[in-house]
Amino acid sequence: MERRTVSEGAEGSGAVRLAEAGLRDASLVTAARDGDRTAFGELYDRYARMVHGVLLARVPYGAVDDLVQDVFLQALGRLRSLRDAAAFGAWIAAIARNRAHDYHRRSRDEVELTDDLSGTDAEDRASSRAPGGSHPAPDAEAASALAAIRSLPEAYRETLILRLVEGMTGPEIAARTGLTAGSVRVNLHRGMQLLRARIGAR
Amino acid sequence: MDRKDNSDYLWDGSGEPDPEIQRLESMLGKFAHRGARPVFPAIVPARSWWSRIGWPMRLAALSAATAAVALLVASAIWFMIHRSRRIPAPIAESPSPSTWQVARLAGEPRVGNAAIEGQSASLAPGQTLVTDGKSRANITSSDIGEIEVDPDTRLRVVQSSSDRKRLALDRGVIHAFIWSPPGEFMVDTPSATAVDMGCAYTLQVDDSGAGLLRTTLGWVGFRLDGHDAFIPAGAVCATRPGVGPGTPCFEDAPLAFRAALTKFDFGPADQRASALDTILAQARKRDALTLWHLLARVDVNDRGRVYDRLAKLVPPPPAVTREGILHLNPAMLDIWWNQLGLGDVSLWRTFERSWSQSKVAQ
């Protein structure tokens, strides 16, 4: 069984909008392949929030901005290998997940291994002490809420961050990531239940 | 506050706002993407066949392409509109989200002794889905996942509670794509239990009760009486009645390696030593998966050999010592596993604890 590339949960008109969005992506990808940098810039505008959310679900806040640029640069270099231009969203989401995985693999290679192998909390603490990016340092309550989301299972973590942090709607998340609307809806609902329980328990 | 309204607000921002979600949105918005569009490097277009042909040919090709695109657009819109009618009811509106819905794909699958009336039916705990040689079915649950059931299969629903969903595959083949949280969905077979850790996999059981699990996404745990096997994407693991799960290996492992592994796991005792020789000699770096499992499965006298070979392929982290591994120190084994980059074993340990607690509670 394969992960589907179109939103199943949209109403008929929503499905038409998604088809139109897919066609717009396809034409932007084609234009970018032909050397049109503005077209690739438009793809960035359409997908940067999603890529940012996918990364924020997996790597420390302070590292996300740089990785977003990395992901788009990787995508730019590999654009010709994308077979289905309309599937740009699912494709770049996969690049972002791989980039996050690679980030942790390299961190493990460089940092002496401790019992806490993820190192995420320590890195987050470090990045909140010395924020190098353009964001303001987050307050403690917001950081605690983000940490609660990041403690959830991966599927819930990513979907909730896209919804609550990046401000995307469920249908948008499905359309941008290539997940089914049914899966996104389930992940949002179950993830929110778990999040309420965890925030309540703190 | 009305539950549906809250659910709609979470879904697409419509309906009555949920104050807690609004508070989270406003608080967490600080972390949202704000970066301006960077200046991307110049893109060098590939010189294609298109630029090498003349205008008459280009016009002809363009006409054909336009017609094809129009056809594609119409097909895509038709396809999506029709697929959107087949979605399961949203979880918030479903009276029992853990209920399995059976859909007939081919032939005459049966729930118990009854044929499925129409195209679909429910499958409740205690009920069995049976397909004959010509039947296929699909079962879905909005909060668990989707399973395709091949011909000649017998699949029972054992449990459907909020935190534990359990099926039993008596015989046949299922293809599972699971989105429930890791550790909540399990499939019992006559010789091991497959525990989903966020994945897609195929599980088959023959008439003797022997099984084979093949993971295509994420990873799956296979266990019997505390005898565990972790099977990441691209790997397979066999299981036999009375023995339990064998040692997992990647499907692209050399043939001689896989044959030796089968001999080691399920062959006569006097062939294990020579089988182990072959496994160690043939192992590639990727086969660290298999060697890590073998540490706990070989005789104590052979453990040092396995350690040495594994250490050569994937050097152990500083916290792991030869002495500790020879004594099967659980923490060191876990640390080394995590070093393989195949998934975080602490997830599995967490669920292991919750399973033992639920067993005690029962």
Side-chain angles (χ1 to χ4, degrees), chain A residues 48-58 145-146 149 152 154-177 179 181 183-193 195-196, chain B residues 4-33:
Chain A
R49 271 192 311 161
M50 185 270 280
V51 168
H52 189 270
V54 167
L55 290 165
L56 186 58
R58 294 169 171 83
L146 182 63
I149 296 179
L152 300 176
E154 193 169 293
Y156 300 160
R157 204 190 306 163
E158 183 176 306
T159 318
L160 277 181
I161 282 181
L162 291 175
R163 173 67 185 86
L164 298 175
V165 178
E166 306 296 342
M168 296 167 72
T169 65
E172 266 184 288
I173 296 169
R176 291 280 185 261
T177 59
L179 292 168
S183 299
V184 172
R185 193 158 194 149
V186 168
N187 290 345
L188 279 176
H189 184 78
R190 297 291 308 273
M192 196 60 214
Q193 276 182 331
L195 182 62
R196 284 185 212 270
Chain B
K4 180 178 179 296
D5 282 346
N6 280 345
S7 166
D8 284 347
Y9 184 75
L10 178 62
W11 173 239
D12 59 8
S14 68
E16 192 172 336
D18 181 317
E20 191 174 8
I21 296 176
Q22 282 186 314
R23 198 175 71 86
L24 284 166
E25 285 176 315
S26 124
M27 199 159 63
L28 291 166
K30 294 167 188 158
F31 295 105
H33 173 68

Side-chain angles (χ1 to χ4, degrees), chain A:
Chain A
M1 263 173 279
E2 289 177 350
R3 193 164 281 210
R4 297 175 184 89
T5 54
V6 291
S7 167
E8 287 183 335
E11 302 300 328
S13 59
V16 174
R17 278 200 303 275
L18 290 184
E20 287 168 353
L23 288 174
R24 178 69 187 144
D25 284 350
S27 73
L28 289 171
V29 168
T30 307
R33 277 173 177 159
D34 287 343
D36 183 346
R37 260 198 293 187
T38 313
F40 193 76
E42 194 177 326
L43 284 168
Y44 177 88
D45 293 343
R46 288 163 75 86
Y47 285 96
R49 271 192 311 161
M50 185 270 280
V51 168
H52 189 270
V54 167
L55 290 165
L56 186 58
R58 294 169 171 83
V59 303
Y61 171 58
V64 174
D65 280 352
D66 285 348
L67 292 180
V68 170
Q69 295 210 16
D70 267 15
V71 166
F72 276 92
L73 284 173
Q74 274 190 27
L76 186 64
R78 296 189 204 163
L79 210 51
R80 280 185 208 107
S81 69
L82 173 60
R83 286 184 190 169
D84 176 6
F88 180 82
W91 180 71
I92 199 163
I95 293 178
R97 292 185 193 110
N98 284 337
R99 186 66 191 86
H101 179 75
D102 191 46
Y103 172 89
H104 284 294
R105 193 176 54 77
R106 288 183 189 185
S107 302
R108 267 207 303 267
D109 288 347
E110 287 165 10
V111 178
E112 187 179 335
L113 208 72
T114 63
D115 281 348
D116 174 15
L117 292 170
S118 69
T120 306
D121 290 344
E123 287 161 336
D124 269 346
R125 279 195 296 276
S127 59
S128 65
R129 273 200 305 271
S134 55
H135 297 311
D139 62 57
E141 195 185 8
S144 162
L146 182 63
I149 296 179
R150 288 163 53 142
S151 71
L152 300 176
E154 193 169 293
Y156 300 160
R157 204 190 306 163
E158 183 176 306
T159 318
L160 277 181
I161 282 181
L162 291 175
R163 173 67 185 86
L164 298 175
V165 178
E166 306 296 342
M168 296 167 72
T169 65
E172 266 184 288
I173 296 169
R176 291 280 185 261
T177 59
L179 292 168
T180 65
S183 299
V184 172
R185 193 158 194 149
V186 168
N187 290 345
L188 279 176
H189 184 78
R190 297 291 308 273
M192 196 60 214
Q193 276 182 331
L194 276 177
L195 182 62
R196 284 185 212 270
R198 291 203 182 171
I199 288 177
R202 283 173 183 222

Side-chain angles (χ1 to χ4, degrees), chain B residues 25-59:
Chain B
E25 285 176 315
S26 124
M27 199 159 63
L28 291 166
K30 294 167 188 158
F31 295 105
H33 173 68
R34 282 193 194 82
R37 183 197 290 187
V39 179
F40 290 108
I43 307 168
V44 183
R47 189 174 154 75
S48 65
W49 60 272
W50 180 255
S51 58
R52 293 194 297 268
I53 62 172
W55 275 107
M57 284 294 287
R58 283 194 202 186
L59 279 175

Side-chain angles (χ1 to χ4, degrees), chain B residues 208-232:
Chain B
S208 75
L212 186 74
L213 193 150
R214 174 177 281 116
T215 306
T216 45
L217 184 73
W219 60 293
V220 186
F222 221 3
R223 66 169 5 208
L224 179 76
D225 299 333
H227 192 52
D228 297 335
F230 306 140
I231 308 141

